[in-house]
Amino acid sequence: MNKNVYIGIDTSNYTTSLSLCDEVGQVLCNLKAPLPVKEGERGLRQSDAVFAHVKNLPPLLGELKTVLGSVGGKVRGIGYSASPRRGADSYMPCFLAGRVAASAIDLTADVPTYAFSHQEGHVMAALYSAGVEDVLTKREFVAFHVSGGTTDVLYVRPDAERFDIELLGTSLDLHAGQAVDRVGVALGLKFPCGKELESLAATCNEKIPKPRVCVKGLDCHLSGLENLALTLYQKTQNKALVAAFTLDFIGQTLVQLSAEVRARYPDIPMVYAGGVMSNYRIQAILGNRFDNTYFSEPVFSADNAAGIALLCRRALHNNQ
């Protein structure tokens, strides 16, 4: 007997991702291939990102086919990331690669296809990883989406197919992931720099300067972090110290933003999603300061297609 499965596709500016989940919402595979970035560079041009996805997709689709065969999977639906956020003004060419892949699969499978935002996928993956998917897809909550392209505070209202997301606050200049990568590249680390910066910070034995963060309501500024971190490096030449300072600055910024959310919405659940939130040091800074908070495991915090597959399953179930 064939097992009903749902495909998720995400083609962000960092990673090509494919995923499968089954009828009960269990993620069966979460396949990823990073986009190559030249040494010393801090990202990719969109044309290069699209080309990299085109190269990554065939072998990943081959792996997906193998998993489908091993589980006896029958594809019931396909979901893909169509844009960074929901909204007519949210667009990046790299997501066209995922749309093309979804359309090609649909020609063979002839099943419903759903377009979601990359942001929705991150939020759903965090709910799944934290074990609160069943609860929080039925009520309103606040999500922090902290990544290379976003440092957003979101009010999330689940509807039958997806998430109705209201932007409550954001970074007014640099995003957290950009700050991590800019400092990391300046320290000689490989882009994207999150994992290496976290490992480097763990070796710091020096007293870390207290971060003086800039938070106003639910908005923040992070451009000063880059300047402060690079000045600290010029003075000390201590890479571990600079790495720890950078991550602590982001952590303390999120603490203040979370405190503001809790002041405005005393009992609302708070979920932390996005690649930057895979950092255990930042998670530890937030720690148990606030009740009713949920964190994702790193594999579901970083770019992935699992949330898209799960959203596809949920949309089809709610439309039956």
Side-chain angles (χ1 to χ4, degrees), residues 109-316:
D110 191 24
V111 294
T113 301
Y114 290 88
F116 303 100
S117 73
H118 177 71
Q119 188 167 74
E120 288 174 289
H122 267 299
V123 172
M124 189 62 162
L127 298 186
Y128 172 82
S129 178
V132 291
E133 178 189 350
D134 288 343
V135 176
L136 295 190
T137 51
K138 297 179 176 67
R139 62 160 297 176
E140 299 173 357
F141 60 94
V142 167
F144 290 80
H145 182 198
V146 190
S147 69
T150 55
T151 305
D152 292 350
V153 186
L154 312 169
Y155 197 97
V156 184
R157 300 174 179 87
D159 60 28
E161 289 189 2
R162 57 192 75 239
F163 296 131
D164 179 14
I165 294 177
E166 175 188 353
L167 181 66
L168 297 177
T170 189
S171 173
L172 299 176
D173 39 53
L174 206 61
H175 291 300
Q178 288 177 303
V180 166
D181 289 329
R182 290 187 182 190
V183 173
V185 169
L187 298 181
L189 307 183
K190 184 179 178 181
F191 180 95
C193 305
K195 289 184 179 180
E196 284 191 75
L197 201 72
E198 182 176 8
S199 297
L200 193 58
T203 68
C204 179
N205 296 316
E206 306 293 327
K207 183 178 179 180
I208 303 166
K210 184 178 180 180
R212 298 179 62 183
V213 303
C214 184
V215 173
K216 297 180 180 179
L218 288 173
D219 293 323
C220 65
H221 292 270
L222 291 170
S223 60
L225 167 56
E226 181 183 9
N227 296 330
L228 290 168
L230 297 183
T231 298
L232 182 64
Y233 183 50
Q234 289 174 354
K235 290 180 178 179
T236 66
Q237 294 299 299
N238 188 324
K239 293 184 179 182
L241 177 64
V242 174
F245 173 80
T246 300
L247 298 179
D248 288 3
F249 192 105
I250 294 170
Q252 290 301 328
T253 297
L254 292 172
V255 166
Q256 291 199 23
L257 291 171
S258 300
E260 180 65 22
V261 169
R262 188 54 80 229
R264 297 188 188 191
Y265 310 100
D267 301 316
I268 201 164
M270 295 192 293
V271 178
Y272 298 86
V276 173
M277 293 313 306
S278 65
N279 189 288
Y280 284 124
R281 186 182 185 95
I282 293 175
Q283 288 190 20
I285 291 169
L286 285 157
N288 298 317
R289 291 172 182 263
F290 308 100
D291 295 331
N292 210 7
T293 56
Y294 303 97
F295 297 92
S296 173
E297 289 297 317
V299 68
F300 293 107
S301 295
D303 285 348
N304 68 90
I308 299 298
L310 292 163
L311 282 167
C312 176
R313 166 189 169 272
R314 180 172 177 270
L316 271 166

